Amino acid sequence: MKNIGILLSGRGSNLKAIAENISAGKIPGAKISTVISNKPDAGGLELARQLGLEAVVLPSKGKEREEHDREVAAVLQKHQVDLVCLAGYMRLLSPWFVRQFPHRILNIHPSLLPAFPGLEAQEQAFAYGVKVAGCTVHFVDEELDHGAIIVQKAIPVLENDDEHTLAKRILEQEHIAYSEAINVVLTGKFEVAGRRLVRK
Ligand code: GRF
């Protein structure tokens, strides 16, 4: 069994999608062992409890980055986590944390990277006037929204879209893309050459 640790700061719809896909047998051999939030009021915590998962609050406010990351890593290591999935985790990770889990930290971002990294990516893409938008699941390195790409899903921007309808359709793709990427990484059927992840 492979243990997944999920880090979040918000509502947790990606957590829900991953949990549902595991229950549906779409991520064989995987289990969510712990859900950690740096925000005490994150909706994803309540969701985790409803799903029967361990929900841990480790407030980051006012803490040094690495000091907080060491607390998070201790919980993950206690559960012998094989894969760390950031699902709306609104905090940069320290280089120390990234080194603890080489090629074992994933993030999902609501744009086709390298376009529109950072906050409010869907709004940025909409305002820019792109005709194709989407989401990216990538390995986490020390730079924001930057590591090797595992899965991307693209959707057209429709004539009658606004930033909300676009964000909603991107989110539907996120819920598919994240589980697909987890499967790629957990089965180990890939190689990373430079920035290129090649499936085997
Ligand atoms: C998603 O749009 C994800 O791409 C971004 O943060 C949002 C988290 O949403 N990193 P949720 O909490 O999983 O619903």
Side-chain angles (χ1 to χ4, degrees):
M1 188 59 78
K2 301 279 189 180
N3 295 315
I4 298 176
I6 298 208
L7 308 191
L8 53 73
S9 309
R11 69 192 158 181
S13 75
N14 277 285
L15 158 68
K16 185 161 180 268
I18 294 166
E20 286 173 356
N21 283 333
I22 289 176
S23 298
K26 292 183 188 165
I27 315 179
K31 168 181 169 219
I32 299 174
S33 302
T34 186
V35 176
I36 303 172
S37 173
N38 66 321
K39 300 262 191 225
D41 57 353
L45 286 165
E46 183 51 34
L47 191 62
R49 291 186 199 108
Q50 284 168 11
L51 291 164
L53 301 169
E54 176 185 87
V56 180
V57 184
L58 296 173
S60 56
K61 205 168 178 197
K63 286 220 174 99
E64 290 285 335
R65 194 171 302 287
E66 189 176 315
E67 180 194 357
H68 179 254
D69 283 357
R70 283 181 185 272
E71 294 177 6
V72 174
V75 174
L76 296 170
Q77 279 151 359
K78 186 178 88 188
H79 288 282
Q80 299 184 314
V81 157
D82 298 286
L83 196 63
V84 182
C85 293
L86 311 188
Y89 190 60
M90 304 301 284
R91 192 166 160 93
L92 270 177
L93 295 169
S94 60
W96 176 85
F97 187 94
V98 174
R99 281 197 302 274
Q100 304 310 301
F101 302 96
H103 277 162
R104 288 191 292 140
I105 312 173
L106 272 50
N107 181 44
I108 187 153
H109 184 73
S111 77
L112 295 172
L113 289 171
F116 313 117
L119 291 175
E120 297 179 348
Q122 308 95 323
E123 287 82 348
Q124 289 186 55
F126 184 78
Y128 198 93
V130 300
K131 300 297 184 197
V132 178
C135 64
T136 304
V137 185
H138 63 93
F139 284 116
V140 170
D141 64 13
E142 289 168 20
E143 290 177 53
L144 179 69
D145 300 329
H146 180 265
I149 291 170
I150 306 163
V151 170
Q152 287 188 310
K153 300 279 179 201
I155 55 165
V157 179
L158 305 176
E159 293 303 323
N160 59 356
D161 263 333
D162 59 29
E163 63 261 49
H164 304 292
T165 57
L166 180 63
K168 186 165 174 275
R169 284 188 300 112
I170 292 172
L171 191 63
E172 289 167 11
Q173 295 303 309
E174 294 186 37
H175 296 162
I176 300 167
Y178 217 150
S179 296
E180 195 177 316
I182 291 170
N183 270 319
V184 171
V185 176
L186 287 184
T187 54
K189 291 183 184 160
F190 68 93
E191 266 171 17
V192 183
R195 287 201 48 89
R196 277 179 52 77
L197 179 139
V198 181
R199 295 202 202 180
K200 291 200 285 193

